[in-house]
Amino acid sequence: MKDKKLRNVWKEIKKNKESYLLILPYFTLFLIFIVIPVLFGAILSFTNYNIIQTPKFIGWSNYKRLFLEDDIFLIAIQNTFKFALITGPISYFACLLFAWLINELSPKVRAITTLLYYAPALSSAIFFIWTYIFSGDVYGFLNGILINLGIIKEPIYWLQDPNINLYVLMIIQLWMSLGTSFLAFIAGFQTIDRSLYEAGAIDGIRNRWQELWYITLPSMKPQLIFGAIMQVTTSFAVADISANLIGFPSPLYSAHTIVLHMWDYGSIRYEMGYASAIAVILFFITVSINQWVRRILRSD
Amino acid sequence: MKERKVNRSFWGNLVISVVLTVVAVFMALPLVYSIMNAFKPLDELFLFPPRLFVRRPTLKNFSDLFYLMGTSFVPFSRYLFNSIFISFFGTLGHVLIASMAAYPLAKHKFPGSKFLFNLVIFSLMFSGYVTNIPRFIIMAKLRLLDSYLSLILPYIGATLGLFLMKQFMEQIPDSYIESARIDGANEFKIWWYVIMPNVKPAWLTLILFSFREIWNDTYTPSLYIHNEALKPFSLGLTYIQQGGFVRAGAGAAAAVLMLIPSIIIFIITQSNVVETMKSAGIKG
C-alpha cells in the first residue's frame, strides 16, 4: 500500500522533471542563502565560535548571557520594540490612508503624488541627507530656521541628545516607510469592483468612511496582509539609519537596536555564536508578531 | 468611468487636499534640499539663516566629486562602476532565475511545489539581517568574500521577487500553455516564449525592486567587501558623508547621482508596478 503511494509520488516527480529543472537554480540560491543560514544560525547559537577555532557546544549559555548579563542587549530590545511599536503601526496606516486618498485623484496627479511619496523609500540610501537637516550646530537646517524664528536660543543636538535621538530616527524612518506596502495598497484600491460601490450606495452607504470600512477594506484583505508583513519585518530591522546618522555606538546606547547589537558581536568582535543567538531572537520576535498580525487581519 | 454618487463633501475634499499637500512637502523637502545643496557654492552652503533655494547655481560640487575623489585612494568613478555592475547583473539574474522558478510554481502541481512556495512566503516574515552571520561564514567557506559574486548571488535569490512573479503568473490562462504544449514546446520554451511575454508588468516590477535593493544597500557590502576597489557607490557615499561639512557639497552632489537612476526606473515602470501589485496579496 505504502509502496504504491511512494511509487506514485516518484512517478509524479518524474513526470514533472522539467518543472524541477526550472526551479532548480532559484531554489539552490534560496537554500544556500536563506534556508541553510537560518538552520545553521540556530545551531551556532548554542556554540562558542570565533571563526578560527572549531565551534564548541555550550548549551544555552549564549541565551542566558543575553538575558541575564548583557544589559546593553536589554536596552537594544527596549529600543527596538519602542521603535517598532511606534513606527510600525503609524507607517502601516499611513501607507493605507495615503494610498486611499491618492486613489481618488485623477490618474496624472495620482502618478506624480505616488512618485513623490514613494521617492524616499525608493532611494533609501540617501537618508543621510537628514544629517544636514538635523545637524547639531547652527548650520543645521532645522536649528538655523528655529533659531532665526526665535523659537529656540541654543542649537538642539537632534542626533546626539540621548533623550530625543531615537524619536528623530523614527521621523526619518517614517519618511522612508511608504514603500512596497504603499504600492500594494494603491494597487489594491484599484482592483475593487466598481459595482460593489454602486450596490453599497443603494444599500445606504452615505460617506467615504463607510465605503472604506464596509466595502473597500474587506475586499483588499490579501493586500492588507501582505502589507502588514512588509511593515512588521522592516520596522524591527532598524539599524542602518541609526549607525549612519547617529554613529555606532550611539551616546548611552540611546539608539542601539537588536540588529546593531548583532552586528557588533558578529562583525566587530567575531563572537559568531553569541551573534547568532541574537539573530535567533530577532527571528522569533518578527515571525511571531507577523503570525499574530496575520491572524488578526484574517479573522476580522 | 463615471463619478460615483456617494457623498463627497466639499470640506472633505479640501481637508484631503491640504493633508496630501503637507505630506508631499514633508516627503519632498529633504530631497529638494539636497538637490539644491548639490548646486550651491561653498559660501551658500553655510549661510545663516539657512536658505533652501540656491541663488548662484554651480556645478563645482559635481566636478569636486569626480576630480577631488579621483585622486583619492579609490577613484570615485570606481565606486560608481561597481554599483552599476552589481546592480545590472544582480537584477538581470534575479528577473530571469526568479521568473523561471515562478512559472512551474504558478502553473504546475508537483510534489513539493506548495511546500516550497510556503517556505518563500515564510521567509518574507523575517528580515535578511537574521541570516547575515551564517551567510558571512558560508561566503567565507565558498571563498566568495571580496568578490562581486558575494553581492550578486544573494540578490538573485531574493524572495519578494519570486513571490510577486508567481502571484502574477497565476492569472495567465491555462489555454495558452496547453496550446503551446500541443505544438510540441517543452516547458523551458513555454516559459520563455509564452509566459515571459505575458508577464511584462511583473518583470518590470522585479527590475525596479531588485535594482532599488542592490543600488541602495550599504549593509551587505559592508559585511562582505573589505577591498576598497570593490565597494559600491552606496558605501562610497557614506564615506563622503562622514567627511563632514568639508564635503557637504560633494555629498549632496553624490546624493543626487544616487537618486537619479532609481527615480528614472520608477517613472518608467510605475504603471506596471501598480498592475503587478494588484496580485500581490497573501490569502489568510
Side-chain angles (χ1 to χ4, degrees):
Chain A
M1 211 37 206
K2 217 175 177 186
D3 230 39
K4 204 172 167 193
K5 214 172 158 192
L6 263 176
R7 218 173 307 143
N8 275 338
V9 172
W10 181 239
K11 237 165 87 189
E12 277 292 297
I13 291 176
K14 259 169 67 181
K15 206 178 84 194
N16 286 292
K17 102 177 159 257
E18 287 182 330
S19 295
Y20 289 104
L21 275 178
L22 284 169
I23 67 169
L24 185 69
Y26 179 85
F27 279 97
T28 308
L29 292 173
F30 185 76
L31 191 74
I32 296 176
F33 294 116
I34 293 173
V35 179
I36 292 178
V38 168
L39 300 176
F40 184 33
I43 296 168
L44 273 182
S45 74
F46 294 101
T47 67
N48 198 343
Y49 182 42
N50 60 6
I51 293 220
I52 299 156
Q53 288 148 317
T54 42
K56 209 165 67 213
F57 181 76
I58 53 166
W60 291 94
S61 308
N62 285 329
Y63 292 95
K64 277 187 201 144
R65 190 175 141 204
L66 270 175
F67 286 104
L68 300 178
E69 290 161 38
D70 193 343
D71 294 337
I72 295 160
F73 177 63
L74 298 182
I75 296 176
I77 289 225
Q78 221 175 20
N79 285 338
T80 307
F81 267 88
K82 210 196 248 174
F83 194 92
L85 292 181
I86 295 176
T87 63
I90 294 181
S91 68
Y92 183 70
F93 288 109
C95 286
L96 191 60
L97 177 74
F98 296 130
W100 179 51
L101 296 180
I102 281 175
N103 189 45
E104 309 236 329
L105 304 172
S106 68
K108 232 185 212 149
V109 183
R110 192 198 303 155
I112 295 167
T113 318
T114 307
L115 173 64
L116 263 180
Y117 281 32
Y118 183 59
L122 180 61
S123 37
S124 52
I126 69 159
F127 59 73
F128 79 82
I129 56 184
W130 284 92
T131 44
Y132 304 124
I133 293 173
F134 281 124
S135 171
D137 51 34
V138 292
Y139 298 112
F141 188 71
L142 191 60
N143 275 335
I145 300 269
L146 291 177
I147 291 174
N148 193 42
L149 291 175
I151 296 172
I152 55 172
K153 286 211 171 67
E154 293 292 309
I156 296 176
Y157 293 96
W158 301 103
L159 294 166
Q160 285 78 37
D161 185 339
N163 294 315
I164 56 171
N165 56 8
L166 192 64
Y167 299 98
V168 173
L169 280 191
M170 289 181 193
I171 294 173
I172 297 166
Q173 173 78 16
L174 287 174
W175 175 70
M176 38 187 224
S177 66
L178 296 181
T180 314
S181 330
F182 175 62
L183 296 178
F185 293 161
I186 290 178
F189 281 112
Q190 290 185 16
T191 56
I192 288 154
D193 185 357
R194 296 268 142 190
S195 61
L196 283 178
Y197 291 123
E198 283 154 30
I202 295 164
D203 287 346
I205 279 181
R206 283 291 151 253
N207 55 44
R208 52 183 130 210
W209 296 102
Q210 288 181 346
E211 203 175 79
L212 178 71
W213 188 252
Y214 292 109
I215 301 176
T216 314
L217 292 184
S219 4
M220 52 185 278
K221 202 173 268 182
Q223 262 87 9
L224 294 180
I225 293 176
F226 170 75
I229 291 177
M230 293 282 117
Q231 292 315 95
V232 170
T233 308
T234 43
S235 61
F236 275 93
V238 55
D240 275 21
I241 55 171
S242 175
N244 285 309
L245 294 178
I246 292 177
F248 182 84
S250 45
L252 298 175
Y253 293 99
S254 54
H256 199 57
T257 65
I258 299 179
V259 173
L260 284 176
H261 204 58
M262 180 179 83
W263 178 75
D264 183 11
Y265 280 90
S267 303
I268 296 178
R269 308 177 200 216
Y270 286 107
E271 288 190 39
M272 296 308 197
Y274 197 63
S276 294
I278 302 172
V280 169
I281 290 166
L282 179 65
F283 173 86
F284 278 110
I285 291 174
T286 38
V287 169
S288 46
I289 289 179
N290 263 319
Q291 298 284 17
W292 176 66
V293 169
R294 218 170 137 181
R295 201 173 310 141
I296 294 175
L297 286 173
R298 195 170 14 182
S299 64
D300 184 24
Chain B
M1 212 186 320
K2 73 177 195 305
E3 260 314 295
R4 282 182 267 130
K5 284 288 168 276
V6 171
N7 250 345
R8 293 287 183 271
S9 72
F10 168 76
W11 291 109
N13 282 335
L14 187 72
V15 169
I16 286 171
S17 315
V18 171
V19 169
L20 284 178
T21 313
V22 168
V23 176
V25 170
F26 171 69
M27 300 309 269
L29 194 72
L31 302 177
V32 172
Y33 183 58
S34 57
I35 293 170
M36 287 296 163
N37 275 4
F39 294 100
K40 280 178 189 167
L42 195 63
D43 56 326
E44 273 189 57
L45 282 169
F46 299 104
L47 272 183
F48 182 83
R51 212 176 267 132
L52 177 60
F53 293 102
V54 55
R55 292 186 132 184
R56 290 167 291 121
T58 164
L59 286 174
K60 193 175 170 306
N61 291 326
F62 289 92
S63 55
D64 273 4
L65 201 58
F66 282 96
Y67 295 114
L68 260 170
M69 304 231 16
T71 57
S72 70
F73 177 52
V74 171
F76 167 78
S77 52
R78 178 77 203 209
Y79 289 122
L80 206 56
F81 169 80
N82 290 340
S83 266
I84 293 169
F85 185 86
I86 58 166
S87 301
F88 179 79
F89 285 102
T91 303
L92 183 73
H94 176 60
V95 172
L96 287 177
I97 285 180
S99 50
M100 202 160 105
Y103 161 53
L105 291 178
K107 285 296 172 191
H108 302 321
K109 266 205 180 114
F110 53 93
S113 60
K114 234 192 176 138
F115 171 76
L116 288 174
F117 188 63
N118 282 337
L119 215 56
V120 170
I121 290 188
F122 184 74
S123 72
L124 292 175
M125 288 193 219
F126 55 88
S127 81
Y129 290 118
V130 166
T131 54
N132 265 324
I133 305 288
R135 242 189 218 185
F136 176 82
I137 299 169
I138 292 171
M139 291 282 189
K141 298 280 179 220
L142 295 175
R143 308 209 171 278
L144 286 177
L145 291 179
D146 271 328
S147 73
Y148 284 131
L149 274 182
S150 71
L151 298 179
I152 292 174
L153 289 178
Y155 296 114
I156 293 182
T159 46
L160 182 62
L162 177 86
F163 169 76
L164 293 174
M165 191 51 107
K166 184 258 182 189
Q167 299 293 81
F168 195 81
M169 280 179 178
E170 280 184 341
Q171 343 162 27
I172 295 176
D174 287 333
S175 55
Y176 288 22
I177 300 167
E178 284 309 318
S179 55
R181 208 170 276 154
I182 289 164
D183 292 343
N186 63 25
E187 292 302 311
F188 187 83
K189 278 196 168 139
I190 294 174
W191 166 66
W192 186 247
Y193 291 108
V194 180
I195 304 290
M196 286 307 269
N198 278 299
V199 294
K200 192 174 150 223
W203 48 260
L204 285 172
T205 306
L206 263 60
I207 289 176
L208 173 76
F209 284 173
S210 179
F211 176 83
R212 191 208 114 177
E213 194 74 17
I214 304 176
W215 185 257
N216 284 299
D217 196 353
T218 51
Y219 192 84
T220 318
S222 74
L223 289 182
Y224 304 145
I225 305 291
H226 297 286
N227 181 352
E228 207 54 47
L230 292 177
K231 284 180 178 169
F233 186 33
S234 53
L235 264 190
L237 197 67
T238 57
Y239 301 144
I240 297 169
Q241 176 242 332
Q242 278 154 12
F245 269 73
V246 195
R247 289 190 187 157
V256 169
L257 291 181
M258 190 81 199
L259 191 65
I260 290 170
S262 319
I263 299 273
I264 290 176
I265 294 181
F266 185 63
I267 290 174
I268 296 169
T269 57
Q270 187 178 7
S271 57
N272 290 288
V273 172
V274 172
E275 194 56 40
T276 306
M277 298 307 277
K278 282 180 183 171
S279 56
I282 293 177
K283 290 192 188 72

